[in-house]
Amino acid sequence: MKNIVKKTSTLLLTGLLLGTATSCDDFLDLNPKDTRTEDNFYRTEADATEALIGVYDVLQWNTVSGFHPTPMVTDILSDDAYSAGQPSSEPNLLQMDRHQILTTNGEVYGLWRKHFIGIARANTLLSRMQDINASEDFKRRTIAEAKFLRAHFYLDAVRLFENVPLILDPLAPSEYNQPQATPKAVYDQIALDLMEAMPDLPASNLRTSMGRATRWAAKALLAKAYLFHKGVYNQDLQAGSTAITAPVVLQHLNDIITSSGHDLLPNYADNFTRANEFSIESVWEISYSDENPWFDWGYVQGGEGNMQPQQQGPRIKNTAIENYLAGWSTGTPTQELYDAFEDDDPRRDATILAETELVGGKDNLNIGYQHTGYFSQKYTTSKEYAPSAGQLELNWGNNYRAIRFSDVLLMASELMLMTGTGDAQAPLTRVRARVGLDPVPATLDNIFRERRVELALEGHRYWDLLRQGTAAANMAITVNRNTLPENYEGVTSDFNIQFNTARRGFLPIPQSEIDLSAGLLKPNPGY
């Protein structure tokens, strides 16, 4: 993470400089400094800060097994993008695209491991905070950030896998096998973590917080958790003794709208430029960096780069004449997504890069599997972000704009309709006015349609489909992904996709985890 990583480097560098101030004899007499363990580590503010950075670090991980940036994976699961990777090189993503996912899928296993590693790191830090010699203010904020991050990891885990263990403390080896909790119990814990975190998180923007969690990010994440759970299970949440209902969540969103200082950038496309990382529109952002060049393909998660731009960039032959470097053409946008934009909507060009816009057009491309003629414009191999050192593919610094202010406005409009309070038209109109479009009536259909084009290729569409119900997801994913752009030709590809209604859109519990649990973990329905 750009700012957080710099802090880590500073702490380590300070320790090295202090070490050089001793004589050779002193150095020889010292105990080894590379024997830090959990028992002797959690002592100082520096220790706690380093541990917290370790929790944040997992947010960045693109891979634990395979290559699976979460926003790209969910777009591939949706009706907005195909996997498009070659069947021989990315079979796991192709399984996700076709909704024919095996329990041995490597990307599924990687997603499971990533999120539970993040949860475990947060749990360890939270359990050791009483040992830290630090001010109470420092402890409160560190605990709040760790709870925010635990909620963040659990929200993705439960949305991806539905039936997951709820683990809130470090486990001894004899406790490693934990049963699955009910989804309601997990969502209630997410709500509790976020509610407890809010008072001690800064009421600032991301630039002021240096990319660390803010109160506004926690409020927005609570809204996302509530709306998904309400849509899929038709239940409210319970955060300890506090009922989390639609009016409560709407009040948190209204707080962001009226008190946070966040706003829409005047130009929509500016959201995805380097200059506008941590912008006024960014309520929550996962940071990546090319400032610590990485070379190791065997341990990709050890770097700070974002694999999503490399995966989604066009397969350009001659990069010397183009504004993009060569990518892998994964996650090609569908014709249906292109057609979802109104003809005069500038968001289409800011979202989708058409091959006709590239110098040389199709002739300057190595045509990939499931080629549609379209690529992501938001997270791509733009030369603006080209890494200056290290292994090119591993060092893209494009931050992921996880929750933008426009998302907050559209969630507020939806909740105003749900509760029958407030002016649901105003936030929807505000989002459309930013791009010069006339108002449309504030109906649920129009809000979901607006969410699709406003947030396209940002990893939100699949969750929006699932929370509209299995029938809506089946209709969108199975029925509507059946056309190609007129300029498509040449490559034999399979575009036939059948949503599996028995699985309701959830991924399988990895077979390796079921085996390790000696059957305590049960397969998800439909697998």
Side-chain angles (χ1 to χ4, degrees), residues 410 413-414 417 428 443-451:
L410 293 173
S413 183
E414 183 178 344
L417 282 181
L428 175 60
T443 65
L444 280 179
D445 284 346
N446 281 341
I447 291 171
F448 277 113
R449 188 175 297 112
E450 198 67 28
R451 287 184 62 82

Side-chain angles (χ1 to χ4, degrees), residues 218-488:
K219 288 174 180 282
L221 196 65
L222 177 66
K224 298 191 86 64
Y226 177 84
L227 283 170
F228 187 84
H229 186 269
K230 184 70 173 178
V232 174
Y233 305 102
N234 194 28
Q235 293 177 309
D236 291 330
L237 298 179
Q238 189 72 30
S241 61
T242 303
I244 305 299
T245 62
V248 170
V249 176
L250 178 57
Q251 182 56 57
H252 286 296
L253 292 178
N254 282 333
D255 286 347
I256 300 173
I257 293 169
T258 61
S259 303
S260 71
H262 287 291
D263 202 351
L264 300 175
L265 290 174
N267 181 26
Y268 176 85
D270 287 347
N271 274 293
F272 308 98
T273 62
R274 186 187 286 270
N276 282 294
E277 291 180 345
F278 306 128
S279 76
I280 196 171
E281 187 162 341
S282 212
V283 178
W284 176 236
E285 198 161 305
I286 296 175
S287 181
Y288 292 91
S289 176
D290 61 357
E291 296 172 5
N292 297 277
W294 196 249
F295 295 86
D296 190 352
W297 281 101
Y299 186 56
V300 173
Q301 64 266 38
E304 307 297 336
N306 187 352
M307 286 294 296
Q308 187 168 345
Q310 179 62 39
Q311 290 186 264
Q312 294 185 165
R315 291 174 180 258
I316 295 170
K317 295 177 183 177
N318 185 356
T319 62
I321 62 172
E322 193 45 74
N323 293 324
Y324 304 87
L325 297 182
W328 298 345
S329 70
T330 307
T332 51
T334 64
Q335 183 67 32
E336 285 74 24
L337 173 59
Y338 186 90
D339 292 342
F341 291 89
E342 297 163 66
D343 288 341
D344 56 347
D345 190 341
R347 292 175 295 190
R348 181 162 62 189
D349 287 344
T351 299
I352 297 175
L353 171 65
E355 65 182 22
T356 52
E357 300 171 41
L358 298 169
V359 177
K362 185 182 294 184
D363 291 339
N364 192 28
L365 290 172
N366 291 308
I367 303 300
Y369 186 75
Q370 290 179 312
H371 177 73
T372 63
Y374 303 132
F375 307 95
S376 172
Q377 183 74 279
K378 291 178 176 177
Y379 296 102
T380 189
T381 50
S382 166
K383 286 185 178 178
E384 176 193 14
Y385 270 106
S388 58
Q391 184 71 39
L392 171 70
E393 296 89 343
L394 303 181
N395 288 283
W396 291 94
N398 313 51
N399 282 7
Y400 169 52
R401 283 68 164 172
I403 305 177
R404 293 192 288 109
F405 186 63
S406 58
D407 192 355
V408 169
L409 291 171
L410 293 173
M411 287 192 290
S413 183
E414 183 178 344
L415 280 163
M416 288 172 184
L417 282 181
M418 187 184 299
T419 60
T421 61
D423 180 6
Q425 186 69 54
L428 175 60
T429 297
R430 185 174 175 183
V431 171
R432 290 178 60 82
R434 188 255 296 268
V435 291
L437 296 177
D438 292 334
V440 294
T443 65
L444 280 179
D445 284 346
N446 281 341
I447 291 171
F448 277 113
R449 188 175 297 112
E450 198 67 28
R451 287 184 62 82
R452 184 181 191 183
V453 294
E454 171 68 26
L455 306 172
L457 303 184
E458 297 178 45
H460 302 284
R461 171 66 172 173
Y462 192 56
W463 308 134
D464 283 350
L465 285 174
L466 294 190
R467 66 190 183 89
Q468 292 177 73
T470 301
N474 180 49
M475 180 175 292
I477 292 170
T478 300
V479 177
N480 293 339
R481 297 174 73 177
N482 56 5
T483 61
L484 294 173
E486 293 180 0
N487 67 346
Y488 171 76

Side-chain angles (χ1 to χ4, degrees), residues 52 56 141-150 201 212-213:
L52 181 62
Y56 273 103
R141 178 170 176 182
T142 302
I143 289 170
E145 290 186 64
K147 287 185 175 182
F148 171 88
L149 292 169
R150 182 168 67 181
L201 290 173
R212 294 164 61 176

Side-chain angles (χ1 to χ4, degrees), residues 113-251:
R113 284 197 64 201
K114 168 187 171 176
H115 290 93
F116 278 97
I117 288 171
I119 289 163
R121 289 186 178 186
N123 285 342
T124 298
L125 176 57
L126 287 166
S127 73
R128 300 305 299 268
M129 282 306 298
Q130 71 272 16
D131 299 330
I132 300 296
N133 181 18
S135 69
E136 288 305 310
D137 285 346
F138 174 86
K139 288 183 179 181
R140 282 194 295 269
R141 178 170 176 182
T142 302
I143 289 170
E145 290 186 64
K147 287 185 175 182
F148 171 88
L149 292 169
R150 182 168 67 181
H152 198 294
F153 290 122
Y154 256 124
L155 179 56
D156 274 352
V158 75
R159 288 190 297 186
L160 288 167
F161 296 99
E162 186 177 39
N163 298 298
V164 299
L166 180 58
I167 302 168
L168 303 177
D169 297 292
L171 300 176
S174 61
E175 302 172 318
Y176 284 169
N177 283 349
Q178 293 289 316
Q180 288 142 306
T182 64
K184 178 67 159 57
V186 177
Y187 281 97
D188 283 349
Q189 182 62 47
I190 291 167
L192 180 61
D193 275 349
L194 292 172
M195 291 293 290
E196 290 182 343
M198 285 178 198
D200 295 318
L201 290 173
S204 67
N205 58 45
L206 291 175
R207 286 191 177 176
T208 301
S209 75
M210 300 177 67
R212 294 164 61 176
T214 69
R215 186 175 304 170
W216 317 118
K219 288 174 180 282
L221 196 65
L222 177 66
K224 298 191 86 64
Y226 177 84
L227 283 170
F228 187 84
H229 186 269
K230 184 70 173 178
V232 174
Y233 305 102
N234 194 28
Q235 293 177 309
D236 291 330
L237 298 179
Q238 189 72 30
S241 61
T242 303
I244 305 299
T245 62
V248 170
V249 176
L250 178 57
Q251 182 56 57

